[in-house]
Amino acid sequence: MSCAACAVRLEKVLNRLPGVQAEVNFATGKARLGAGPGASPAADILAAIRKAGFDVAPEALELSLGGMSCAACAARIEKVLNRLPGVEASVNLAAETARVRYTPGLADPAAIVAAVARAGFSATPVAGRDREADKARKAAALEAEARWFLIAALLTLPFLAQMVWMFAGDAGAHHDELLPRWLQCLLATPVQFWIGRRFYTGAWSSLRGGGANMDVLVALGTSVAYFFSLAVVLLGRHDLHVYFEASASIITLVLLGKLLEARAKAGTSAAIEALLRLQPATARIERDGQWLEVPVEQVVAGMVFMLRPGDAVPVDGEVLEGESSADEAMLTGESVPVAKHPGEKVFAATVNGDGVLRCRATGVGAETLLAGIVRLVEQAQGGKPAVQRLADRIAAVFVPVVVGIAVLTFGAWWWFGGELAPALVNGVAVLVIACPCALGLATPTAVMVGTGQGARAGILVRNAEALELAEKIAVLVVDKTGTLTEGRPAVLEVRAAAGVERDTLLRLAASLEQTSHHPLARAVVDIASAGGQTLPAAEAVRAVAGRGVSGSVEGSAVLVGSPEFLVEEGVTVPPGLLEPLLASGLTPVAVAADGAVLGVLGIADPLRPTSKAAVARLKALGVRVVMLTGDHPAAAARIAAEAGIDEFRARVMPEGKAAAVEALRREGRVAMVGDGINDAPALAAADVSFAIGAGSDVAIEAADLTLVRNDLASVADAISLSRATLGKIRQNLFFAFIYNILGIPAAALGLLNPVIAGAAMAMSSVSVVSNSLLLRRWRAGRD
């Protein structure tokens, strides 16, 4: 909607529909709908809105899920949700969350939660998340897991003694008599039905929802072993072996695996927890002339707060008084403190240096930069790179296929061997060795750790797909101003006329320019001030917009401006002073006093100190660097030469940048890095886009990755992180696939005891998560 008239027209369209009462709010862009008897269905309402020339923006919903035990569960929930009209969902097994986008009118949160419940799982909308409560809930769940495992282990321990006795004795002896069979049954029963009831509950919920998960495999395998053994005991068949130790040991080992997995998974979100711990719980605010300590939640925008030496900044703010420095490494990854003066910004969770600062709060709660970083990281952690699609497809059919293989194994051993016990053991081993968990955890755990490490290094990933694509960047297109350069003019060369001292030239020029706020004027003042010069006051100052300024300094009539401006004032600048600056792509600012030329200042946007090393590092990573700029060719050539860039294009307009990116895409995967509004079209056209954190909001919104630190080296870090993360994902998928490819046939051929199979299954998921945690060794600046 572009105007109030649009809102009125849409309201009329909706109110014409049978049984619909609509009220459209132009300010919020939302419509409130009431439905009476015989009201039009949601699909007709949406069709009417679109026919009127409007669209319905999808809304986002995050769900906390319960009851998932493996990748098959995640695949089942995802399938159920994506079948709903107007719903697009992605489920993260590692984080136990679902990110849902739904079209209002076709779906709503209540219907989405109900669909998850019908599939046999629980779902709770996450809004205004209480992180402390989440942390306490997870800690309690981990403690409960440990308690259940401890009880199961105590009940299973006697079976371990029996198994050691059996392996140590003669093959023909009935060593199961070490534990009377009635005692074995007594020990195994609570493990099977009390401690192991979660597997029955999970299996029933999964089957009732039309799917099958790991709980089905565990419940089926242990039940077969338990009930066969119980039948042998009740029938008094002393000639047959009992497998109470197998059923109890399998459940205990699976619980051990779940416990270790939960502890390892807790480490995948360590980066976010570390960021959040940096924000202080209280703030020192000014109220009625007094300083009070209040909880940080009570701080609102506009309040004045104080930072003492060493204080952590409670909220985002602007410095009003004082001078200090701030350690912003947690935001940018840069260890060098940043100077803070009045007018500078401070950010929540950074640390104040030695000075005292009086600041005004500008961003609190969810509006702080820290909160935005956390949201971006969590959003990326919930995404799925394309590499996971194969694992998802396999997980969806994994359990039914395994059950089929187990039935075939049981039938073949019984048919060809003629004995029930070996057939039963091998069939159970197939059920137990299979583990879809490792497949489901392979990708999300690596993505969670990788994006967390990126956040700590000042690399904010918007989605997991971007992290995957960054690995194979062939061409990096870079903007010049603000990306390769500092983004503000500076005097790079001073050429004084014969007989004129450099300090005199700068003092007279800066004295006149100090009355102006033009960027070129500030550059002249900065270089003079850096030399420690005292600037006298200028009088009778007259500025000519876009040309220059004139006035009286120390009794002399001074002119400062473009060479053309001086010509207009009757002063000609010698070509020998101008031509070297023009050839170098510098903007000349001429200075004259009392009709005589004093010299020319060469002004340009200087190259960032880190850009040359960053370009060299990108080349070492095999990335071709191309610079696009709207500046004139001489300036572009100078910056390209200083940065070590071999290929550049000058005088490229914003639409031309997008066209250039499209052309380069025919030569390989293209990434773009920029910081301005004019870069947004090119950022959107690139396969992967990077926005410098100090850039415009439009550029940041269009980019896939945001670099908090204003340094091109962060692009190299992002590529390095992408390659490290994708390497871990491939390793995890290999381990998950090879485990099942080797384990299931081995069990079917009778080469694995069910207890050994249970131990292997329990450790497979732990090994995948542990391998992902090795990503925490990744550091920015290392390839």
Side-chain angles (χ1 to χ4, degrees):
M1 289 188 295
S2 59
C3 62
C6 297
V8 172
R9 185 163 68 87
L10 178 58
E11 197 169 283
K12 287 181 178 179
V13 168
L14 293 174
N15 285 323
R16 286 174 186 159
L17 296 173
V20 174
Q21 299 89 40
E23 182 181 334
V24 179
N25 188 321
F26 169 65
T28 62
K30 294 185 178 182
R32 295 182 62 183
L33 300 179
S40 299
D44 290 350
I45 295 174
L46 290 174
I49 292 173
R50 293 190 174 105
K51 189 176 180 180
F54 303 98
D55 202 0
V56 179
E59 293 193 9
L61 174 67
E62 183 178 356
L63 298 175
S64 176
L65 301 174
M68 290 197 301
S69 62
C70 66
C73 299
R76 173 65 183 163
I77 297 174
E78 203 166 275
K79 188 175 182 180
V80 165
L81 291 178
N82 285 322
R83 281 177 179 169
L84 297 175
V87 172
E88 181 183 345
S90 175
V91 175
N92 187 324
L93 173 63
E96 296 182 337
T97 59
R99 293 192 177 275
V100 183
R101 288 173 62 83
Y102 67 94
T103 302
L106 290 181
D108 58 68
I112 293 169
V113 170
V116 175
R118 286 195 299 271
F121 306 92
S122 64
T124 305
V126 177
R129 173 181 296 178
D130 185 340
R131 296 186 181 276
E132 288 302 318
D134 276 358
K135 189 175 179 180
R137 177 177 55 80
K138 290 179 180 179
L142 194 61
E143 186 179 336
E145 286 283 359
R147 187 166 54 250
W148 283 116
F149 166 71
L150 180 60
I151 296 171
L154 290 174
L155 292 171
T156 307
L157 200 58
F159 290 115
L160 178 62
Q162 174 168 287
M163 284 187 283
V164 171
W165 178 270
M166 290 176 62
F167 284 122
D170 297 330
H174 293 293
H175 295 294
D176 55 320
E177 298 300 331
L178 180 66
L179 288 179
R181 291 187 172 183
W182 64 267
L183 180 57
Q184 293 184 50
C185 182
L186 192 64
L187 291 170
T189 299
V191 175
Q192 184 71 36
F193 299 108
W194 177 44
I195 298 170
R197 72 180 184 277
R198 66 166 69 181
F199 301 110
Y200 289 102
T201 303
W204 168 247
S205 297
S206 179
L207 293 171
R208 187 185 60 182
N213 60 5
M214 190 195 77
D215 291 334
V216 172
L217 299 180
V218 175
L220 187 59
T222 57
S223 295
V224 169
Y226 176 86
F227 285 111
F228 173 82
S229 303
L230 183 63
V232 168
V233 171
L234 294 177
L235 295 174
R237 294 289 302 270
H238 295 286
D239 57 318
L240 296 176
H241 187 72
V242 291
Y243 298 95
F244 288 119
E245 80 282 355
S247 66
S249 298
I250 289 169
I251 289 175
T252 301
L253 289 168
V254 171
L255 291 179
L256 173 61
K258 288 291 183 185
L259 176 61
L260 295 176
E261 178 187 314
R263 286 183 173 173
K265 279 163 64 177
T268 60
S269 58
I272 289 181
E273 293 296 331
L275 288 176
L276 292 173
R277 281 197 300 269
L278 293 174
Q279 188 170 18
T282 61
R284 189 173 178 81
I285 67 164
E286 186 179 37
R287 183 178 293 167
D288 299 327
Q290 295 183 333
W291 292 103
L292 304 175
E293 199 90 10
V294 300
V296 72
E297 295 82 8
Q298 295 181 13
V299 180
V300 298
M303 280 186 173
V304 175
F305 62 93
M306 176 190 287
L307 295 176
R308 293 166 296 186
D311 279 353
V313 182
V315 296
D316 289 0
E318 180 183 355
V319 178
L320 298 177
E321 295 177 11
E323 292 191 357
S324 184
S325 61
D327 180 357
E328 297 182 349
M330 53 76 59
L331 287 180
T332 65
E334 179 59 61
S335 59
V336 178
V338 180
K340 297 298 177 183
H341 309 286
E344 296 280 345
K345 293 181 179 179
V346 291
F347 303 101
T350 59
V351 180
N352 183 36
D354 295 332
V356 176
L357 297 177
R358 184 170 172 267
C359 310
R360 180 191 297 111
T362 57
V364 299
E367 302 303 317
T368 64
L369 180 60
L370 175 65
I373 289 174
V374 171
R375 281 195 300 271
L376 272 179
V377 173
E378 290 179 334
Q379 178 180 324
Q381 289 180 343
K384 286 187 178 183
V387 72
Q388 192 177 348
R389 292 172 188 162
L390 174 62
D392 285 348
R393 287 197 294 270
I394 292 175
V397 298
F398 186 87
V399 174
V401 169
V402 169
V403 172
I405 294 173
V407 171
L408 289 175
T409 299
F410 174 77
W413 276 88
W414 197 6
W415 178 267
F416 292 106
E419 294 186 28
L420 178 61
L424 181 70
V425 169
N426 295 331
V428 169
V430 169
L431 291 172
V432 173
I433 191 67
C435 182
C437 292
L439 284 175
L441 293 169
T443 299
T445 53
V447 169
M448 289 178 75
V449 178
T451 52
Q453 290 298 104
R456 296 176 68 175
I459 303 166
L460 307 183
V461 183
R462 189 175 295 276
N463 55 66
E465 292 84 354
L467 188 65
E468 180 180 19
L469 292 172
E471 179 200 28
K472 296 181 179 177
I473 292 172
V475 181
L476 177 68
V477 176
V478 298
D479 174 52
K480 179 179 76 70
T481 305
T483 302
L484 286 168
T485 65
E486 294 282 3
R488 62 178 183 273
V491 177
L492 302 185
E493 191 168 342
V494 179
R495 301 183 68 84
V500 177
E501 293 185 359
R502 184 179 187 274
D503 286 350
T504 301
L505 168 63
L506 291 176
R507 186 180 75 256
L508 292 177
S511 296
L512 197 57
E513 293 282 35
Q514 68 183 334
T515 62
S516 172
H517 294 288
H518 191 282
L520 297 185
R522 301 313 305 166
V524 175
V525 174
D526 287 344
I527 190 172
S529 300
Q533 296 212 50
T534 301
L535 303 180
E539 299 175 350
V541 177
R542 180 178 65 91
V544 179
R547 310 290 284 175
V549 62
S550 63
S552 175
V553 179
E554 296 180 331
S556 298
V558 179
L559 298 172
V560 180
S562 66
E564 293 78 12
F565 173 67
L566 266 66
V567 170
E568 293 171 0
E569 297 294 326
V571 180
T572 301
V573 182
L577 289 176
L578 284 177
E579 289 172 357
L581 301 182
L582 294 173
S584 299
L586 302 178
T587 299
V589 173
V591 184
D594 297 327
V597 175
L598 300 181
V600 182
L601 309 178
I603 298 180
D605 186 7
L607 188 75
R608 290 185 188 277
T610 56
S611 291
K612 184 175 182 179
V615 170
R617 186 175 164 209
L618 286 164
K619 287 182 176 180
L621 289 169
V623 178
R624 171 185 162 202
V625 182
V626 178
M627 184 181 77
L628 300 182
T629 178
D631 211 341
H632 55 81
R638 178 181 60 82
I639 289 295
E642 289 182 24
I645 296 174
D646 304 317
E647 187 176 349
F648 68 90
R649 301 176 192 178
R651 296 201 183 281
V652 182
M653 296 298 102
E655 59 275 12
K657 288 184 180 181
V661 168
E662 289 287 359
L664 287 168
R665 288 181 67 187
R666 293 192 285 270
E667 303 174 31
R669 184 168 291 163
V670 176
M672 167 74 185
V673 57
D675 74 324
I677 293 175
N678 63 328
D679 297 322
L683 289 170
D687 295 301
V688 185
S689 51
F690 299 88
I692 294 291
S696 72
D697 291 341
V698 175
I700 292 172
E701 187 63 31
D704 298 311
L705 298 97
T706 299
L707 311 176
V708 178
R709 188 172 58 192
N710 299 324
D711 188 347
L712 192 62
S714 292
V715 178
D717 289 334
I719 295 172
S720 169
L721 176 64
S722 171
R723 292 179 180 180
T725 303
L726 268 292
K728 284 300 176 190
I729 289 175
R730 293 190 183 99
Q731 291 173 15
N732 289 346
L733 289 174
F734 172 79
F735 292 144
F737 280 122
I738 202 68
Y739 164 83
N740 285 296
I741 288 171
L742 297 178
I744 293 175
L749 293 173
L751 302 177
L752 284 178
N753 178 280
V755 176
I756 303 297
M761 184 197 73
M763 297 310 298
S764 63
S765 297
V766 177
S767 63
V768 164
V769 179
S770 300
N771 188 49
S772 293
L773 288 175
L774 293 178
L775 267 175
R776 292 164 70 176
R777 298 178 179 177
W778 179 87
R779 291 292 182 270
R782 298 191 316 207
D783 300 323

